[in-house]
Amino acid sequence: LDQPRPVIVDRLKPLLEAFAGIPKAPLPDDLDATLREYQARGVDWLAFLRSVGLGGVLADDMGLGKTLQTICSLPSGKRTLVVCPKSVVYNWQAEIARFRPSLKVSIFHGAKRALHDRADVTLTTYAVLRLDQELLSSQAWDTVVLDEAQAIKNETSQTARAAFELKADFKLALSGTPVENRLEELWSVMTFANPGLLGGRSSFADRYVTPIANGDRDAAARLRAKIRPVVLRRMKRDVLPELPPRTDAVLHVELEDSERVVYDAVRAATKKELAAKLAEGGGVLAALEALLRLRQASCHAALVPGQKADSSSKVEALLDAL
C-alpha cells in the first residue's frame, strides 16, 4: 500500500507468536479495596491493553464495578482525563477518594474552570468536552476514560468528534450498553478507543452493518472475532457465584397524624361502597382501585386527588436509609 507499517504491528507480532495468556497485573500499592476474581481479571486485561498500546471497551453489565476496575488501572504521577455525565462527576471523585486516596483529583467544570498540571486525575463532563475541545485535545494525556461512552454513539455529533480528537497513550471506553439501537454506535465507540480498527464509516457499513442486517452470520462472526481482544463484557449471570447475596431490609414506617387522617378518609370513603358491590358478586376492579388509592395515601398524600404535601414519612425514611 506504499504506507509505513504501523508501529503496533511490530509490538503485537512477538506477542502473537508466543502468546500464553494475559499476565497477572500487580495492583496499586495504595488500593483500599478487595477485588472479586472477575474484577481482578478485568484489571489484568486493562494492564495488558495498555502494555501493547491498544485501547479498550469495558462493557461489563451495570453494577459489576467498571469504575473500580478503571480506578485500579490508573497510573500514579501521570495525567488521566475522565469524561463522564455531570450527574456522576462527584461519584467519581468519591470513588477515587475511597479506593485510591493518594491520587490527586481535580474537577474541570464550572465558569472558572482551569486545568491543573499536577492532578493525577482530571474529571470533566461531555458538555465541557464540547466547549473546550481545543484545549483538552491539545493536552498530552497518559489515559483518557469515557464513562457512559454511549454518549458518543452518534459519530457525527459534536461530542463524538471532540472525543475522537483527544490524545492519550491509553484510551478506555466504559459502557454497559455499547450498542443500544444500531451497529454504527459500536463503530463510534471503537473509533475513539482504537481508531482505524473497524475501518472507515462507509467501509464498516458495507462489510458489517448491511450484511448483518440481512442475516449474514459470517459477517457477525467476523465482527465478533475482530473486536473480541479489545472488548470485555461480563453479564451478571456470568459472575453470579462471585456476587454477594441480595440484602433485604424491611423498614417499618409510622404515618404522621396528618397522613393518617388522609389514609383513614380514603379508607372510609371506599369501604361501604365496596362492601356492597362485593356482596352483589361484583366490584373486583373497584377493590383493586381502592387498594391502589390506599397504597398511594400511605406512600405520599399528594398522590391522592385533591390533597397536597411536600413530603411523606415513607420518603423521609427512604432518604435516611439511602
Side-chain angles (χ1 to χ4, degrees), residues 15 19 21-23 25 43-54:
L15 287 168
F19 185 70
I22 294 176
V43 175
D44 295 341
W45 176 75
L46 292 172
F48 175 73
L49 290 183
R50 179 189 292 276
S51 70
V52 298
L54 290 171

Side-chain angles (χ1 to χ4, degrees), residues 180-260:
E180 289 183 315
N181 300 307
R182 57 195 185 98
L183 205 51
E184 290 87 346
E185 296 168 6
L186 177 64
W187 182 89
S188 186
V189 173
M190 194 61 68
T191 296
F192 161 76
N194 290 291
L197 180 66
L198 295 181
R201 172 68 182 77
S202 59
S203 172
F204 178 73
D206 293 339
R207 287 184 294 150
Y208 299 112
V209 177
T210 302
I212 290 174
N214 292 332
D216 187 340
R217 294 186 177 181
D218 290 339
R222 289 197 307 272
L223 179 58
R224 281 195 297 270
K226 187 155 211 170
I227 67 173
R228 184 176 292 119
V230 293
V231 176
L232 182 61
R233 179 167 176 79
R234 279 81 58 90
M235 308 293 285
K236 284 191 175 72
R237 62 174 179 267
D238 300 328
V239 298
L240 199 57
E242 298 184 47
L243 298 180
R246 187 182 72 182
T247 300
D248 292 322
V250 179
L251 304 179
H252 296 278
V253 181
E254 187 71 26
L255 296 181
E256 297 288 343
D257 291 343
S258 59
E259 296 171 313
R260 172 60 68 178

Side-chain angles (χ1 to χ4, degrees), residues 85-129:
K86 182 181 178 181
S87 59
V88 297
V89 168
Y90 293 100
N91 180 68
W92 266 93
Q93 184 183 38
E95 294 284 276
I96 294 172
R98 177 184 176 187
F99 297 123
R100 297 281 305 278
S102 68
L103 293 179
K104 302 181 184 69
V105 177
S106 171
I107 296 179
F108 184 63
H109 190 264
K112 298 181 179 180
R113 57 184 176 271
L115 288 176
H116 298 284
D117 294 339
R118 295 186 179 181
D120 294 306
V121 182
T122 299
L123 305 175
T124 193
T125 67
Y126 286 102
V128 173
L129 173 61

Side-chain angles (χ1 to χ4, degrees), residues 6-317:
V7 175
I8 191 63
V9 174
D10 295 325
R11 292 182 185 174
L12 289 177
K13 187 176 180 182
L15 287 168
L16 293 172
E17 290 174 345
F19 185 70
I22 294 176
K24 191 171 183 61
L27 294 175
D29 295 334
D30 62 339
L31 179 64
D32 186 13
T34 300
L35 302 185
R36 299 189 178 102
E37 183 180 348
Y38 75 87
Q39 292 174 329
R41 290 197 301 269
V43 175
D44 295 341
W45 176 75
L46 292 172
F48 175 73
L49 290 183
R50 179 189 292 276
S51 70
V52 298
L54 290 171
V57 179
L58 182 55
D60 284 348
D61 213 356
M62 185 178 68
L64 295 186
K66 292 189 291 294
T67 302
L68 175 57
Q69 294 173 71
T70 302
I71 291 173
C72 289
S73 72
L74 299 182
S76 300
K78 296 186 178 180
R79 301 178 71 200
T80 293
L81 176 68
V82 176
V83 186
C84 59
K86 182 181 178 181
S87 59
V88 297
V89 168
Y90 293 100
N91 180 68
W92 266 93
Q93 184 183 38
E95 294 284 276
I96 294 172
R98 177 184 176 187
F99 297 123
R100 297 281 305 278
S102 68
L103 293 179
K104 302 181 184 69
V105 177
S106 171
I107 296 179
F108 184 63
H109 190 264
K112 298 181 179 180
R113 57 184 176 271
L115 288 176
H116 298 284
D117 294 339
R118 295 186 179 181
D120 294 306
V121 182
T122 299
L123 305 175
T124 193
T125 67
Y126 286 102
V128 173
L129 173 61
R130 288 196 304 271
L131 294 171
D132 290 353
Q133 172 188 349
E134 187 174 342
L135 172 62
L136 294 173
S137 62
S138 69
Q139 303 296 307
W141 304 102
D142 174 84
T143 304
V144 170
V145 178
L146 296 190
D147 191 15
E148 302 290 350
Q150 61 269 22
I152 66 165
K153 64 183 181 180
N154 181 355
E155 68 278 4
T156 62
S157 68
Q158 290 182 348
T159 302
R161 290 175 177 175
F164 297 158
E165 294 298 320
L166 294 173
K167 302 175 183 65
D169 296 331
F170 179 53
K171 293 182 179 180
L172 176 62
L174 308 179
S175 176
T177 53
V179 178
E180 289 183 315
N181 300 307
R182 57 195 185 98
L183 205 51
E184 290 87 346
E185 296 168 6
L186 177 64
W187 182 89
S188 186
V189 173
M190 194 61 68
T191 296
F192 161 76
N194 290 291
L197 180 66
L198 295 181
R201 172 68 182 77
S202 59
S203 172
F204 178 73
D206 293 339
R207 287 184 294 150
Y208 299 112
V209 177
T210 302
I212 290 174
N214 292 332
D216 187 340
R217 294 186 177 181
D218 290 339
R222 289 197 307 272
L223 179 58
R224 281 195 297 270
K226 187 155 211 170
I227 67 173
R228 184 176 292 119
V230 293
V231 176
L232 182 61
R233 179 167 176 79
R234 279 81 58 90
M235 308 293 285
K236 284 191 175 72
R237 62 174 179 267
D238 300 328
V239 298
L240 199 57
E242 298 184 47
L243 298 180
R246 187 182 72 182
T247 300
D248 292 322
V250 179
L251 304 179
H252 296 278
V253 181
E254 187 71 26
L255 296 181
E256 297 288 343
D257 291 343
S258 59
E259 296 171 313
R260 172 60 68 178
V261 169
V262 173
Y263 183 90
D264 289 343
V266 173
R267 183 171 179 270
T270 57
K271 183 177 179 180
K272 187 174 181 179
E273 179 184 356
L274 182 58
K277 289 184 178 179
L278 291 174
E280 297 172 359
V284 175
L285 291 179
L288 293 176
E289 183 180 359
L291 289 172
L292 172 62
R293 292 299 182 199
L294 289 173
R295 182 171 179 81
Q296 290 174 328
S298 68
C299 288
H300 201 302
L303 294 173
V304 179
Q307 298 294 324
K308 293 182 180 181
D310 295 328
S311 186
S312 75
S313 298
K314 278 193 175 181
V315 170
E316 295 301 326

